[in-house]
C-alpha cells in the first residue's frame, strides 16, 4: 500500500514557513487587508456549508440515535475530559499555553469532508457519517466557546461571551441558516462545484494560519518552545488520538454496534475540524499573541488523524462487504 502525503498538510508547512520569513504582511498595520479578507471568507465558507446541508438527510439520520450520542459524546465530552486530566500537572506559563492548545483541540467539532470520505473508504455507515459530521459543526458553534470560556478567562484575555456569540451569529450561524434556506435553489450548484468550494475553504484557512503564525513570530512567542516541548507535543497528540479511538471503539462494542456503525463511531468521533479550529481561533483568541502556539496541537492532530485513519480505512476496505 502506497502512503500518500496530504497536499494540504504540505501547504500548511509552506505557509508557516512564509509567515516566518515574511511576518510583516500578517501583523497589525499591514497594507494587505488579511483580516477583512478572512472575515468575508469565513462567512462564505459557512454559507456554502449550509448550501450543502440537506434537511431531508439530517431528518433521516435522526433514527440511529445511539450512534449519534456516542459520536457527539466522544467529540465534546470524552476528548475534553482526557485533556482536563493533565491540567493539575501544569507548572509553568509555557506549559499552560500549550495545554490550552490541547484543550482547544479537544473541544472542537468533527470534520465533515474527511470523516465522510474515510468512512466511505472503510465501508462504514455513510449516511450516519454525513449526519454526525454535519450536526457536529452546528453543535460546536455553541459548545466550543462555552468550554473555552472556562479557561481562557483565567489566561487574562479579553473573553466576552456577548461579543463572541455576536461574532459567531454574524460570521457563522447567519451564513449557515441562509445557506440552508437557499439549499433548494443553489444546493445542486454547490454540489456540482464542491471541489472548487473545498479549494476556496482551504485557501481561507491557510490565510488565517498565516496571519496567526505571522503575529506569533513577530512577537517572538516561539522562542520559549524547545525541541523537547515539540517532541512532547507530538507524542501527546498521538496518545490523545489513540486513546480516544480505542475508547470509542470499546464503547461501540458494548452498545452492540454492527461493524459499519463501529467504523462510523470511531472515524467521526475522533476527528477534529481544522476549518472550525482556525475560524474559532480567530474569533476566540483574536488578541492573544500566543495564538500560533495554541494552534500547534491542532495542526499536528490534523496531519496525524489523516495518516492513521487512512491506513486503518485502507485495511478495512479490503474486508468482504456484506
Amino acid at each position: 500500500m502506497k502512503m500518500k502525503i496530504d497536499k494540504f498538510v504540505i501547504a500548511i508547512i509552506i505557509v508557516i514557513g512564509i509567515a516566518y520569513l515574511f511576518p510583516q504582511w500578517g501583523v497589525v498595520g499591514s497594507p494587505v487587508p488579511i483580516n477583512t479578507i478572512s472575515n468575508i471568507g469565513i462567512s462564505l465558507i459557512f454559507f456554502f456549508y449550509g448550501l450543502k446541508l440537506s434537511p431531508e438527510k439530517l431528518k433521516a439520520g435522526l433514527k440511529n440515535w445511539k450512534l449519534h450520542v456516542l459520536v457527539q459524546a466522544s467529540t465534546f465530552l470524552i476528548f475534553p475530559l482526557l485533556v482536563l486530566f493533565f491540567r493539575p500537572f501544569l507548572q509553568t506559563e509555557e506549559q499552560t499555553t500549550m495545554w490550552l492548545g490541547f484543550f482547544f483541540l479537544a473541544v472542537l467539532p468533527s470534520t465533515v469532508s474527511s470523516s465522510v470520505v474515510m468512512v466511505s473508504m472503510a465501508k462504514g455507515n455513510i449516511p450516519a457519517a454525513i449526519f454526525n459530521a454535519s450536526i457536529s459543526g452546528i453543535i460546536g458553534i455553541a459548545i466550543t466557546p462555552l468550554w473555552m470560556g472556562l479557561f481562557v478567562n483565567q489566561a487574562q484575555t479579553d473573553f466576552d461571551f456577548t461579543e463572541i456569540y455576536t461574532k459567531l451569529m454574524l460570521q457563522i450561524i447567519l451564513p449557515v441558516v441562509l445557506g440552508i434556506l437557499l439549499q433548494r435553489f443553489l444546493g445542486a450548484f454547490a454540489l456540482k462545484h464542491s471541489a472548487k468550494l473545498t479549494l476556496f475553504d482551504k485557501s481561507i484557512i491557510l490565510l488565517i494560519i498565516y496571519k496567526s503564525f505571522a503575529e506569533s513570530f513577530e512577537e517572538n512567542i516561539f522562542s520559549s518552545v524547545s525541541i523537547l516541548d515539540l517532541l512532547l507535543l507530538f507524542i501527546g497528540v498521538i496518545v490523545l488520538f489513540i486513546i480516544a479511538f480505542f475508547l470509542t471503539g470499546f464503547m461501540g462494542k458494548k452498545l452492540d454496534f454492527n461493524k459499519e456503525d463501529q467504523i462510523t463511531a470511531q472515524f467521526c468521533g475522533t476527528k477534529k475540524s481544522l476549518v472550525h479550529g482556525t475560524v474559532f481561533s480567530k474569533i476566540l483568541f483574536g488578541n492573544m499573541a500566543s495564538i500560533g502556539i495554541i494552534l500547534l496541537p491542532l495542526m499536528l492532530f490534523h496531519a496525524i488523524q489523516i495518516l492513521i485513519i487512512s491506513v486503518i480505512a485502507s485495511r478495512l476496505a479490503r474486508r468482504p462487504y456484506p
Side-chain angles (χ1 to χ4, degrees):
M1 182 182 65
K2 292 183 179 179
M3 293 298 300
K4 292 184 178 179
I5 300 175
D6 189 83
K7 293 179 181 177
F8 190 48
V9 173
I10 297 173
I12 290 172
I13 295 170
I14 292 171
V15 164
I16 293 173
I18 294 172
Y20 178 75
L21 295 172
F22 307 102
Q24 64 272 18
W25 298 337
V27 297
V28 177
S30 167
V32 183
I34 291 180
N35 217 37
T36 303
I37 295 170
S38 58
N39 284 339
I40 296 171
I42 288 167
S43 296
L44 287 174
I45 284 174
F46 284 93
F47 171 69
F48 296 138
Y49 177 70
L51 282 182
K52 290 184 281 188
L53 273 177
S54 170
E56 290 76 20
K57 286 182 180 178
L58 290 178
K59 287 178 184 176
L62 285 170
K63 297 174 184 177
N64 200 349
W65 64 271
K66 284 185 181 180
L67 173 58
H68 308 329
V69 168
L70 176 57
V71 171
Q72 302 311 320
S74 173
T75 303
F76 296 111
L77 191 60
I78 293 175
F79 261 93
L81 290 177
L82 286 173
V83 177
L84 273 173
F85 175 80
F86 293 95
R87 183 169 168 76
F89 302 103
L90 303 178
Q91 296 179 347
T92 66
E93 186 178 341
E94 289 77 17
Q95 289 176 351
T96 302
T97 302
M98 199 72 78
W99 178 88
L100 195 63
F102 264 99
F103 191 70
F104 177 56
L105 155 68
V107 299
L108 286 172
S110 179
T111 178
V112 178
S113 55
S114 62
S115 289
V116 176
V117 169
M118 294 300 178
V119 167
S120 175
M121 185 192 301
K123 302 176 184 176
N125 187 334
I126 299 172
I130 294 171
F131 174 84
N132 276 287
S134 301
I135 206 70
S136 178
I138 296 171
I139 294 172
I141 293 170
I143 298 296
T144 301
L146 285 176
W147 267 119
M148 292 309 300
L150 297 175
F151 302 101
V152 177
N153 275 323
Q154 297 175 18
Q156 297 180 342
T157 60
D158 185 18
F159 196 91
D160 182 350
F161 272 110
T162 304
E163 183 182 352
I164 294 299
Y165 278 107
T166 300
K167 287 182 179 178
L168 288 171
M169 282 291 296
L170 294 175
Q171 285 191 275
I172 298 178
I173 297 175
L174 192 60
V176 167
V177 171
L178 187 60
I180 292 173
L181 292 175
L182 294 176
Q183 199 266 343
R184 58 183 295 189
F185 304 108
L186 298 173
F189 171 85
L191 290 174
K192 181 181 178 181
H193 298 280
S194 182
K196 293 178 181 177
L197 294 179
T198 299
L199 180 61
F200 172 79
D201 292 355
K202 290 180 177 179
S203 299
I204 296 299
I205 297 311
L206 290 173
L207 194 64
I208 296 172
I209 289 171
Y210 166 77
K211 180 174 173 57
S212 301
F213 276 81
E215 290 174 342
S216 294
F217 285 133
E218 188 72 10
E219 296 288 335
N220 206 27
I221 294 298
F222 288 103
S223 61
S224 61
V225 182
S226 65
I227 298 297
L228 178 61
D229 289 334
L230 289 175
L231 180 62
L232 291 174
L233 175 64
F234 184 74
I235 294 171
V237 165
I238 294 176
V239 170
L240 177 63
F241 177 85
I242 290 173
I243 292 175
F245 187 84
F246 283 103
L247 192 57
T248 308
F250 173 77
M251 293 175 72
K253 288 180 180 178
K254 288 295 181 182
L255 291 169
D256 293 323
F257 286 174
N258 59 33
K259 189 63 176 178
E260 289 71 36
D261 284 355
Q262 268 190 45
I263 290 169
T264 301
Q266 286 185 288
F267 282 27
C268 293
T270 55
K271 288 292 196 73
K272 292 294 179 176
S273 174
L274 184 62
V275 173
H276 285 81
T278 47
V279 169
F280 285 179
S281 71
K282 188 175 182 301
I283 296 173
L284 299 176
F285 314 115
N287 298 323
M288 289 183 69
S290 57
I291 188 170
I293 293 179
I294 290 174
L295 281 174
L296 268 180
L298 177 60
M299 305 285 183
L300 286 174
F301 193 89
H302 174 78
I304 287 165
Q305 72 182 10
I306 288 176
L307 177 64
I308 297 177
I309 292 292
S310 294
V311 173
I312 295 171
S314 296
R315 288 180 60 190
L316 289 170
R318 295 196 292 268
R319 82 185 194 281
Y321 196 68

